[in-house]
Amino acid sequence: MSLLEVENLRTYFFTPAGIVQAVDGVSFEVDAGESLGIVGESGAGKSVAVKSIMGLIRDPGRIVEGSVRFDGRELTELSEAELRREIRGNEISIVFQDAMSALNPVFTVGSQLEEVIVENTDRSPSAARERAIELLDDVGIPNPDRRIDEYPHQYSGGMQQRAMIAMALACDPRLIIADEPTTALDVTIQAGILELFDEIQETHDTSIVYVTHDLGVVREVCDRVSVMYLGRVVESAPYEELYRYPKHPYTQSLLNSVVTPDEILDEINPIGGTMPSAVSPPSGCRFRTRCPEAVEECVHVTPRARQVGDSHTAACLLYDESNSHEEPTLREITNQTND
Amino acid sequence: MGVEVIMSAGSQQTGDTADAAGQPLLEVSGLKKHFPVNSGLFASITFDRDADGFPITRDDSSVKAVDGVDFALEAGKTLGVVGESGCGKSTLARTILGLEEPTAGEIRFDGRPKDEIPEAEFRKRSQMVFQDPQSSLNGRRRVGHIIEDPLEGAGWEKARRRERALELLEQVGLKREYYNRYPHEFSGGQRQRINLARALSISPDLIVCDEPVSGLDVSIQAQILNLMTDLQAEYGLTYLVISHDLSVVRYIADRVAVMYLGEFVEVAPTDRLFTHQYHPYARALLSAVPNPDPDMPGVSSQLSGAVPSASNPPRGCRFHTRCPSFIIPDGFTAEAYDGYDRLRSDVSERSLDPEVNDVSSALETYVPELASVAGDRRAALESAVSEALDGEWDRAERTLESEQSPCQAEAPSLETAGDPAHEAACHLSFETPSDADSGSTEDGRR
């Protein structure tokens, strides 16, 4: 059994403009000590998927179907109070992209860190301070005994993100979810944070779910990767396997669009067009409107994840011989939860 | 203005057409842009009881955002400027276009000093594309009208403007029907296409692009970069591209300048810069970019500490406080030199460690590794400490100064490195670029 099992998760947002099918039938697993990258362009539903795990979806959003099992326990059935008491912080913690807005500007970094420790462990306030200094030291903040009493604005962007990671580590969670934690940082600062994630995984044996749009970052941090497109996982594989043998046409074109400083390409071949709206996504395969391989069948059949290699799956009719399954309609899904 | 300038600018040029290739369209020399930390007379005055004489001092410190930049950009070519946030690259772009008044230096456009070019002509021949397509397009106006703006400024009549805008929409990969739509109806990539159409409308020679694709998804980034290259080929455009993203610059630029704290530290043709970096900062920046290819080396974070303040940049080479290849003078070990540095900083602040009471205790406190220091260096340290203890601070400071590393003593200037078109500003010798055996660092460097 994996530590985290997400199965057929659907998270919709019920807006006046229509139902946004942000996450629509997503499944993935994370083993203990493993790091999974979730990669995709903006609007793919990566953030919504990981926030659903933590029960952080707010109105008008709702998990309409599917299950999230953590260590065998069904998280979608827990109440807000149970999630807060038993899961968030001490079992699963999350690091967001924008550290400055996640830290409270009127309290010192130390007091915020100590609060988390006192809340979630049975340490005394003075022991919590000691632990806080230790954590700041662990995440590479210089002179932690002095800097613990500083306010967030006195920290640089990279330091703020390190402080957030210290907070996420405070209660020794078994899973850390990182939602684009380095996107706003300079590459030189990002490099240090990526090394820190590697270190955390090694020394604490923590599982990591790392959300990013950058395949280079996935390569640095993750063992496996799931590629998302418009609310669905289109391909999953160990990172190297995915890079060398991409199967899904979307993954292939994503890899073709990447520019790197290490090679000069005469011409990049990006995917044409833009991602359609998640309010009225294309029927059948959602990538078909931009897919160079699309055939008539793609309009009618929703491809399911098929084994295409060693622990490598892709959801594309190219690899699906028995394509005679039917997806529930939107009406069926939303009615189900309203009952 | 010199006679030769008139000849070169006037002989083959008529009206707005771009110059023949090979001729610099844009030349910048000694360009500086400083922003005062306190603006206005009253904000800059502070009461200072310890001052000699009248107890009021004026704080005239300034943020040196751009501090002495030189380059020449040939017509039809692309110069990419890369650097971390806060290095001054955006200020450089804005100053060149006249959105900021330069503090010092000269900008020449098409062979003439920019000051002598009528504002209307310069506006017509240079355009800017900003980073954030969301906020750089007025949300209440139709995109057709936005694209026509520069034409209206140039006095085009309405029907001709409209015809041109429709044409441009097609050229940047949009549809003529979009003319009457509003910016919010478009995605980020499409909005950047609209920005490009607006910049192109007046057929400028120079387009300055400040982070043209940051914030866009990779596939959209690639589309915009391809569009920019196509437009350049078609209209002979000259680009100055500002970006924090080395991959973007590698794809689009002919020449790349690496900027750090207001200065260019390395400038080279794109192919060369990405294969031979001489400046340690350029090397560190490049090694921090994640590469998806598992066969390529992974990232390494070589830089410690944060970018120093641009209002008080480090003396000597501005990068020396973070440099992984800092040159330690002969006769010092790395540890002993750190001790020397601490002593020097205390001497310049006129206060030694309170536990120090004589020469030997001072040396013990600051440089415990004294035994490893070469004889003449040790003698200099001893005399500096005794001068400081005698209260002769200035002499002590001078004594210490003569022992310092070249990286602190002198700011390196851009010098040719390996190839006539390749320049770097570093005290290291330029014989061993990064792609050579990296294990062969010479003695005396940490």
Side-chain angles (χ1 to χ4, degrees), chain B residues 261-303:
Chain B
L261 270 183
E263 297 175 333
F264 282 1
V265 296
E266 187 156 0
V267 188
T270 308
D271 292 9
R272 265 192 71 86
L273 188 98
F274 284 91
T275 46
H276 304 68
Q277 307 95 42
Y278 290 94
H279 199 286
Y281 178 64
R283 216 175 295 160
L285 198 58
L286 204 67
S287 67
V289 181
N291 190 319
D293 186 347
D295 292 331
M296 301 301 286
V299 299
S300 68
S301 70
Q302 304 181 346
L303 297 186

Short mmCIF file of all heavy atoms in Angstrom, two decimals, chain B residues 261-303:
data_model
loop_
_atom_site.label_atom_id
_atom_site.label_comp_id
_atom_site.label_asym_id
_atom_site.label_seq_id
_atom_site.Cartn_x
_atom_site.Cartn_y
_atom_site.Cartn_z
N LEU B 261 24.90 43.86 -10.23
CA LEU B 261 24.96 45.12 -9.47
C LEU B 261 25.28 46.34 -10.33
O LEU B 261 26.19 47.10 -10.02
CB LEU B 261 26.00 45.00 -8.35
CG LEU B 261 25.50 44.49 -7.01
CD1 LEU B 261 26.64 44.52 -5.99
CD2 LEU B 261 24.34 45.32 -6.49
N GLY B 262 24.56 46.50 -11.40
CA GLY B 262 24.69 47.72 -12.19
C GLY B 262 25.77 47.71 -13.25
O GLY B 262 25.93 48.70 -13.96
N GLU B 263 26.53 46.61 -13.34
CA GLU B 263 27.63 46.58 -14.32
C GLU B 263 27.54 45.33 -15.20
O GLU B 263 27.03 44.30 -14.76
CB GLU B 263 28.98 46.53 -13.59
CG GLU B 263 29.28 47.73 -12.76
CD GLU B 263 30.57 47.57 -11.96
OE1 GLU B 263 30.97 46.43 -11.65
OE2 GLU B 263 31.18 48.59 -11.65
N PHE B 264 28.07 45.42 -16.41
CA PHE B 264 28.23 44.22 -17.24
C PHE B 264 29.50 43.52 -16.76
O PHE B 264 30.56 44.14 -16.70
CB PHE B 264 28.40 44.60 -18.72
CG PHE B 264 27.11 44.96 -19.42
CD1 PHE B 264 25.90 44.97 -18.73
CD2 PHE B 264 27.11 45.27 -20.77
CE1 PHE B 264 24.72 45.29 -19.38
CE2 PHE B 264 25.93 45.61 -21.42
CZ PHE B 264 24.73 45.61 -20.73
N VAL B 265 29.40 42.24 -16.42
CA VAL B 265 30.60 41.52 -15.99
C VAL B 265 31.15 40.62 -17.09
O VAL B 265 32.31 40.24 -17.07
CB VAL B 265 30.37 40.70 -14.70
CG1 VAL B 265 30.03 41.62 -13.53
CG2 VAL B 265 29.29 39.65 -14.89
N GLU B 266 30.29 40.25 -18.05
CA GLU B 266 30.77 39.45 -19.16
C GLU B 266 29.87 39.68 -20.37
O GLU B 266 28.66 39.71 -20.25
CB GLU B 266 30.81 37.96 -18.80
CG GLU B 266 31.46 37.09 -19.86
CD GLU B 266 32.04 35.78 -19.31
OE1 GLU B 266 31.94 35.54 -18.10
OE2 GLU B 266 32.60 35.01 -20.12
N VAL B 267 30.51 39.87 -21.53
CA VAL B 267 29.75 40.10 -22.76
C VAL B 267 30.38 39.24 -23.85
O VAL B 267 31.60 39.25 -24.01
CB VAL B 267 29.83 41.58 -23.22
CG1 VAL B 267 28.89 41.83 -24.37
CG2 VAL B 267 29.51 42.53 -22.08
N ALA B 268 29.56 38.48 -24.57
CA ALA B 268 30.12 37.60 -25.59
C ALA B 268 29.04 37.21 -26.59
O ALA B 268 27.86 37.32 -26.30
CB ALA B 268 30.70 36.34 -24.94
N PRO B 269 29.49 36.74 -27.77
CA PRO B 269 28.51 36.16 -28.69
C PRO B 269 27.81 35.00 -27.98
O PRO B 269 28.45 34.29 -27.19
CB PRO B 269 29.36 35.65 -29.85
CG PRO B 269 30.63 36.41 -29.77
CD PRO B 269 30.85 36.71 -28.33
N THR B 270 26.53 34.81 -28.24
CA THR B 270 25.73 33.86 -27.48
C THR B 270 26.37 32.46 -27.41
O THR B 270 26.52 31.90 -26.33
CB THR B 270 24.32 33.75 -28.08
OG1 THR B 270 23.81 35.07 -28.20
CG2 THR B 270 23.40 32.95 -27.20
N ASP B 271 26.76 31.93 -28.57
CA ASP B 271 27.33 30.58 -28.58
C ASP B 271 28.52 30.48 -27.66
O ASP B 271 28.71 29.49 -26.95
CB ASP B 271 27.82 30.21 -29.99
CG ASP B 271 26.66 30.05 -30.93
OD1 ASP B 271 25.53 30.40 -30.52
OD2 ASP B 271 26.87 29.58 -32.07
N ARG B 272 29.36 31.51 -27.67
CA ARG B 272 30.57 31.47 -26.84
C ARG B 272 30.23 31.59 -25.37
O ARG B 272 30.78 30.88 -24.54
CB ARG B 272 31.53 32.59 -27.26
CG ARG B 272 32.57 32.15 -28.26
CD ARG B 272 33.65 33.20 -28.40
NE ARG B 272 34.50 33.29 -27.22
CZ ARG B 272 35.58 32.53 -27.03
NH1 ARG B 272 35.92 31.63 -27.91
NH2 ARG B 272 36.30 32.68 -25.94
N LEU B 273 29.34 32.50 -25.04
CA LEU B 273 29.07 32.71 -23.62
C LEU B 273 28.56 31.43 -22.97
O LEU B 273 28.90 31.13 -21.83
CB LEU B 273 28.06 33.83 -23.40
CG LEU B 273 27.97 34.13 -21.90
CD1 LEU B 273 28.81 35.34 -21.54
CD2 LEU B 273 26.56 34.30 -21.42
N PHE B 274 27.74 30.68 -23.70
CA PHE B 274 27.16 29.50 -23.08
C PHE B 274 28.12 28.31 -23.08
O PHE B 274 27.85 27.31 -22.45
CB PHE B 274 25.82 29.15 -23.73
CG PHE B 274 24.73 30.08 -23.28
CD1 PHE B 274 24.45 31.24 -23.96
CD2 PHE B 274 24.01 29.79 -22.12
CE1 PHE B 274 23.46 32.11 -23.53
CE2 PHE B 274 23.03 30.65 -21.67
CZ PHE B 274 22.75 31.81 -22.37
N THR B 275 29.23 28.42 -23.79
CA THR B 275 30.19 27.32 -23.74
C THR B 275 31.46 27.71 -22.99
O THR B 275 32.12 26.86 -22.42
CB THR B 275 30.58 26.87 -25.17
OG1 THR B 275 30.84 28.04 -25.96
CG2 THR B 275 29.44 26.10 -25.81
N HIS B 276 31.82 29.00 -22.99
CA HIS B 276 33.04 29.43 -22.27
C HIS B 276 32.69 30.60 -21.37
O HIS B 276 32.64 31.72 -21.85
CB HIS B 276 34.10 29.97 -23.23
CG HIS B 276 34.51 29.03 -24.32
ND1 HIS B 276 33.68 28.67 -25.34
CD2 HIS B 276 35.69 28.41 -24.54
CE1 HIS B 276 34.32 27.85 -26.15
NE2 HIS B 276 35.54 27.68 -25.69
N GLN B 277 32.46 30.36 -20.09
CA GLN B 277 32.27 31.50 -19.22
C GLN B 277 33.56 31.78 -18.46
O GLN B 277 34.15 30.86 -17.90
CB GLN B 277 31.14 31.28 -18.20
CG GLN B 277 29.82 30.86 -18.78
CD GLN B 277 29.68 29.35 -18.77
OE1 GLN B 277 30.03 28.71 -17.79
NE2 GLN B 277 29.15 28.80 -19.85
N TYR B 278 34.01 33.03 -18.51
CA TYR B 278 35.22 33.40 -17.79
C TYR B 278 34.90 33.98 -16.42
O TYR B 278 35.65 33.81 -15.48
CB TYR B 278 36.03 34.41 -18.60
CG TYR B 278 36.66 33.80 -19.82
CD1 TYR B 278 36.03 33.84 -21.06
CD2 TYR B 278 37.89 33.14 -19.73
CE1 TYR B 278 36.61 33.27 -22.18
CE2 TYR B 278 38.47 32.56 -20.85
CZ TYR B 278 37.83 32.64 -22.06
OH TYR B 278 38.40 32.06 -23.17
N HIS B 279 33.81 34.72 -16.35
CA HIS B 279 33.51 35.35 -15.07
C HIS B 279 32.83 34.34 -14.14
O HIS B 279 31.89 33.67 -14.54
CB HIS B 279 32.59 36.55 -15.29
CG HIS B 279 32.59 37.50 -14.14
ND1 HIS B 279 31.97 37.22 -12.95
CD2 HIS B 279 33.20 38.69 -13.96
CE1 HIS B 279 32.18 38.23 -12.10
NE2 HIS B 279 32.93 39.13 -12.70
N PRO B 280 33.30 34.25 -12.88
CA PRO B 280 32.71 33.27 -11.95
C PRO B 280 31.21 33.49 -11.76
O PRO B 280 30.48 32.53 -11.51
CB PRO B 280 33.45 33.51 -10.65
CG PRO B 280 34.70 34.20 -11.02
CD PRO B 280 34.42 34.97 -12.27
N TYR B 281 30.75 34.74 -11.88
CA TYR B 281 29.32 34.97 -11.70
C TYR B 281 28.53 34.35 -12.86
O TYR B 281 27.51 33.70 -12.66
CB TYR B 281 29.01 36.46 -11.60
CG TYR B 281 27.52 36.72 -11.47
CD1 TYR B 281 26.84 36.27 -10.35
CD2 TYR B 281 26.81 37.38 -12.46
CE1 TYR B 281 25.47 36.47 -10.22
CE2 TYR B 281 25.45 37.58 -12.34
CZ TYR B 281 24.78 37.13 -11.23
OH TYR B 281 23.43 37.32 -11.11
N ALA B 282 29.02 34.56 -14.08
CA ALA B 282 28.34 33.99 -15.24
C ALA B 282 28.28 32.47 -15.11
O ALA B 282 27.27 31.84 -15.40
CB ALA B 282 29.08 34.39 -16.52
N ARG B 283 29.38 31.90 -14.62
CA ARG B 283 29.46 30.45 -14.44
C ARG B 283 28.44 29.97 -13.40
O ARG B 283 27.72 29.01 -13.61
CB ARG B 283 30.88 30.11 -13.97
CG ARG B 283 31.42 28.83 -14.50
CD ARG B 283 32.87 28.67 -14.08
NE ARG B 283 33.73 29.69 -14.66
CZ ARG B 283 34.94 30.00 -14.17
NH1 ARG B 283 35.40 29.40 -13.08
NH2 ARG B 283 35.66 30.92 -14.77
N ALA B 284 28.39 30.70 -12.28
CA ALA B 284 27.48 30.32 -11.20
C ALA B 284 26.02 30.44 -11.65
O ALA B 284 25.19 29.58 -11.34
CB ALA B 284 27.72 31.19 -9.98
N LEU B 285 25.74 31.50 -12.39
CA LEU B 285 24.38 31.72 -12.85
C LEU B 285 23.94 30.58 -13.77
O LEU B 285 22.86 30.03 -13.65
CB LEU B 285 24.33 33.06 -13.61
CG LEU B 285 23.00 33.72 -13.84
CD1 LEU B 285 22.30 33.99 -12.53
CD2 LEU B 285 23.19 35.03 -14.60
N LEU B 286 24.83 30.20 -14.66
CA LEU B 286 24.51 29.15 -15.61
C LEU B 286 24.35 27.80 -14.93
O LEU B 286 23.47 27.01 -15.29
CB LEU B 286 25.60 29.09 -16.68
CG LEU B 286 25.16 28.48 -18.00
CD1 LEU B 286 24.14 29.39 -18.67
CD2 LEU B 286 26.34 28.26 -18.90
N SER B 287 25.18 27.54 -13.94
CA SER B 287 25.10 26.23 -13.30
C SER B 287 23.89 26.11 -12.39
O SER B 287 23.58 25.05 -11.89
CB SER B 287 26.38 25.94 -12.52
OG SER B 287 26.46 26.81 -11.43
N ALA B 288 23.18 27.21 -12.18
CA ALA B 288 21.99 27.16 -11.32
C ALA B 288 20.71 26.90 -12.12
O ALA B 288 19.66 26.73 -11.53
CB ALA B 288 21.85 28.47 -10.55
N VAL B 289 20.81 26.87 -13.44
CA VAL B 289 19.60 26.67 -14.26
C VAL B 289 19.31 25.17 -14.36
O VAL B 289 20.14 24.42 -14.83
CB VAL B 289 19.78 27.24 -15.67
CG1 VAL B 289 18.51 27.05 -16.49
CG2 VAL B 289 20.15 28.70 -15.62
N PRO B 290 18.12 24.75 -13.92
CA PRO B 290 17.81 23.33 -14.01
C PRO B 290 17.64 22.90 -15.46
O PRO B 290 17.04 23.62 -16.25
CB PRO B 290 16.47 23.20 -13.27
CG PRO B 290 16.16 24.51 -12.70
CD PRO B 290 17.01 25.54 -13.36
N ASN B 291 18.16 21.76 -15.81
CA ASN B 291 18.03 21.24 -17.15
C ASN B 291 17.25 19.93 -17.10
O ASN B 291 17.60 19.05 -16.33
CB ASN B 291 19.43 20.99 -17.73
CG ASN B 291 19.38 20.68 -19.21
OD1 ASN B 291 18.50 19.95 -19.67
ND2 ASN B 291 20.31 21.24 -19.96
N PRO B 292 16.20 19.81 -17.92
CA PRO B 292 15.41 18.58 -17.85
C PRO B 292 16.17 17.34 -18.32
O PRO B 292 15.77 16.22 -18.02
CB PRO B 292 14.23 18.86 -18.79
CG PRO B 292 14.35 20.25 -19.25
CD PRO B 292 15.67 20.80 -18.86
N ASP B 293 17.24 17.53 -19.08
CA ASP B 293 17.95 16.38 -19.64
C ASP B 293 18.78 15.67 -18.57
O ASP B 293 19.73 16.23 -18.04
CB ASP B 293 18.87 16.88 -20.76
CG ASP B 293 19.54 15.74 -21.50
OD1 ASP B 293 19.49 14.60 -21.00
OD2 ASP B 293 20.09 16.00 -22.58
N PRO B 294 18.43 14.41 -18.27
CA PRO B 294 19.16 13.70 -17.20
C PRO B 294 20.63 13.46 -17.53
O PRO B 294 21.40 13.12 -16.63
CB PRO B 294 18.40 12.39 -17.04
CG PRO B 294 17.35 12.36 -18.06
CD PRO B 294 17.35 13.62 -18.85
N ASP B 295 21.02 13.61 -18.78
CA ASP B 295 22.43 13.42 -19.12
C ASP B 295 23.27 14.66 -18.85
O ASP B 295 24.50 14.61 -18.89
CB ASP B 295 22.58 13.04 -20.60
CG ASP B 295 22.00 11.68 -20.88
OD1 ASP B 295 22.02 10.84 -19.95
OD2 ASP B 295 21.53 11.45 -22.00
N MET B 296 22.62 15.79 -18.62
CA MET B 296 23.35 17.01 -18.34
C MET B 296 23.54 17.14 -16.83
O MET B 296 22.77 16.57 -16.07
CB MET B 296 22.58 18.23 -18.87
CG MET B 296 22.31 18.22 -20.36
SD MET B 296 23.80 18.16 -21.36
CE MET B 296 24.38 19.84 -21.14
N PRO B 297 24.58 17.89 -16.41
CA PRO B 297 24.77 18.03 -14.96
C PRO B 297 23.59 18.71 -14.29
O PRO B 297 22.92 19.55 -14.90
CB PRO B 297 26.04 18.88 -14.84
CG PRO B 297 26.38 19.35 -16.19
CD PRO B 297 25.59 18.58 -17.19
N GLY B 298 23.34 18.35 -13.04
CA GLY B 298 22.25 18.97 -12.29
C GLY B 298 22.66 20.33 -11.77
O GLY B 298 23.79 20.77 -11.98
N VAL B 299 21.74 21.00 -11.09
CA VAL B 299 22.07 22.34 -10.61
C VAL B 299 23.04 22.25 -9.45
O VAL B 299 23.09 21.28 -8.72
CB VAL B 299 20.82 23.13 -10.14
CG1 VAL B 299 19.85 23.33 -11.27
CG2 VAL B 299 20.16 22.46 -8.95
N SER B 300 23.84 23.29 -9.29
CA SER B 300 24.63 23.39 -8.07
C SER B 300 24.54 24.83 -7.61
O SER B 300 24.54 25.76 -8.42
CB SER B 300 26.08 23.00 -8.34
OG SER B 300 26.68 23.95 -9.17
N SER B 301 24.37 25.01 -6.32
CA SER B 301 24.27 26.37 -5.83
C SER B 301 25.65 26.78 -5.33
O SER B 301 26.12 26.32 -4.33
CB SER B 301 23.22 26.49 -4.73
OG SER B 301 23.63 25.87 -3.57
N GLN B 302 26.31 27.62 -6.12
CA GLN B 302 27.69 28.00 -5.80
C GLN B 302 27.76 29.32 -5.08
O GLN B 302 28.81 29.70 -4.59
CB GLN B 302 28.49 28.13 -7.10
CG GLN B 302 28.46 26.90 -7.96
CD GLN B 302 29.29 27.07 -9.21
OE1 GLN B 302 29.66 28.16 -9.57
NE2 GLN B 302 29.58 25.96 -9.87
N LEU B 303 26.66 30.06 -5.08
CA LEU B 303 26.72 31.39 -4.51
C LEU B 303 26.18 31.40 -3.10
O LEU B 303 25.10 30.89 -2.84
CB LEU B 303 25.91 32.37 -5.36
CG LEU B 303 26.40 32.54 -6.78
CD1 LEU B 303 25.61 33.63 -7.46
CD2 LEU B 303 27.87 32.89 -6.79
#
